[in-house]
């Protein structure tokens, strides 16, 4: 279960996951959906894009968040924190886990059901990266804000 903690202002959302972080993809996506619905001009999260592509950008944010959350669950002990930041026209999704291994895109293998997550993140995000720290890492991706 995720709990929302204090952010660094109205453009930062922080969610902490308990010991069940290994099952955090669904709850994490729920947190990101809540953030998207709270953004200025989101129209209450109704999915309308007002003709400017905001709906597609929201879908891109959710897809990237899903990939980052799933990787933390599949290749690490699970998600410990999820942060979403809005700054300079970009929304950054950051997933923290307790693994020390740095994620590296797997070789591209068309037709394979798994192993393409970081390729998706690379393609959709403006930029992405890894911020290691003692005891874990944060994998983040920035996308144009909806």
């Amino acid at each position: 279960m995720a709990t929302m903690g204090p952010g660094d202002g109205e453009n930062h959302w922080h969610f902490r996951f308990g010991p069940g972080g290994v099952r955090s993809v669904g709850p994490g996506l729920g947190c990101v959906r809540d953030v998207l619905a709270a953004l200025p001009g989101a129209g209450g999260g109704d999915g309308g894009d007002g003709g400017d592509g905001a709906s597609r950008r929201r879908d891109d944010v959710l897809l990237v968040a899903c990939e980052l959350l799933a990787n933390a669950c599949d290749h690490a002990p699970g998600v410990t924190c999820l942060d979403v930041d809005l700054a300079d026209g970009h929304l950054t999704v950051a997933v923290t886990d307790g693994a020390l291994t740095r994620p590296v895109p797997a070789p591209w293998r068309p037709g394979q059901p798994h192993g393409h997550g970081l390729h998706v993140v690379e393609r959709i995000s403006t930029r992405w990266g890894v911020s290691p720290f003692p005891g874990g890492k944060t994998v983040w991706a920035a996308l144009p804000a909806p």
Side-chain angles (χ1 to χ4, degrees), residues 40-106:
D46 64 0
D49 68 6
D52 66 359
S55 179
R56 179 172 178 178
R57 289 191 302 274
R58 282 192 294 274
D59 289 346
D60 287 348
V61 169
L62 286 169
L63 178 57
V64 167
C66 183
E67 293 296 344
L68 296 180
L69 290 161
N71 282 348
C73 293
D74 290 347
H75 305 291
V79 177
T80 57
C81 296
L82 166 68
D83 291 274
V84 182
D85 290 283
L86 176 62
D88 300 323
H90 282 81
L91 202 64
T92 300
V93 177
V95 174
T96 301
D97 64 53
L100 299 174
T101 55
R102 184 180 184 93
V104 178

Side-chain angles (χ1 to χ4, degrees), residues 17-31:
F17 290 82
V22 72
R23 293 191 180 109
S24 56
V25 175
L29 285 176
C31 295

Side-chain angles (χ1 to χ4, degrees), residues 3-5 8 11 18 33-35 41 48 57 59 72 74 82 93-94 96 99-100 116-117 122 125 131 136 138 141:
T3 58
M4 187 168 173
D8 295 332
N11 294 325
R33 279 189 191 97
D34 291 346
V35 168
R57 289 191 302 274
D59 289 346
D74 290 347
L82 166 68
V93 177
T96 301
L100 299 174
H116 302 116
E122 282 182 333
S125 302
S131 301
T138 300

Side-chain angles (χ1 to χ4, degrees), residues 123-146:
R123 180 144 180 126
I124 295 176
S125 302
T126 305
R127 61 192 179 279
W128 76 280
V130 182
S131 301
F133 59 88
K137 68 181 174 305
T138 300
V139 183
W140 56 269
L143 299 95

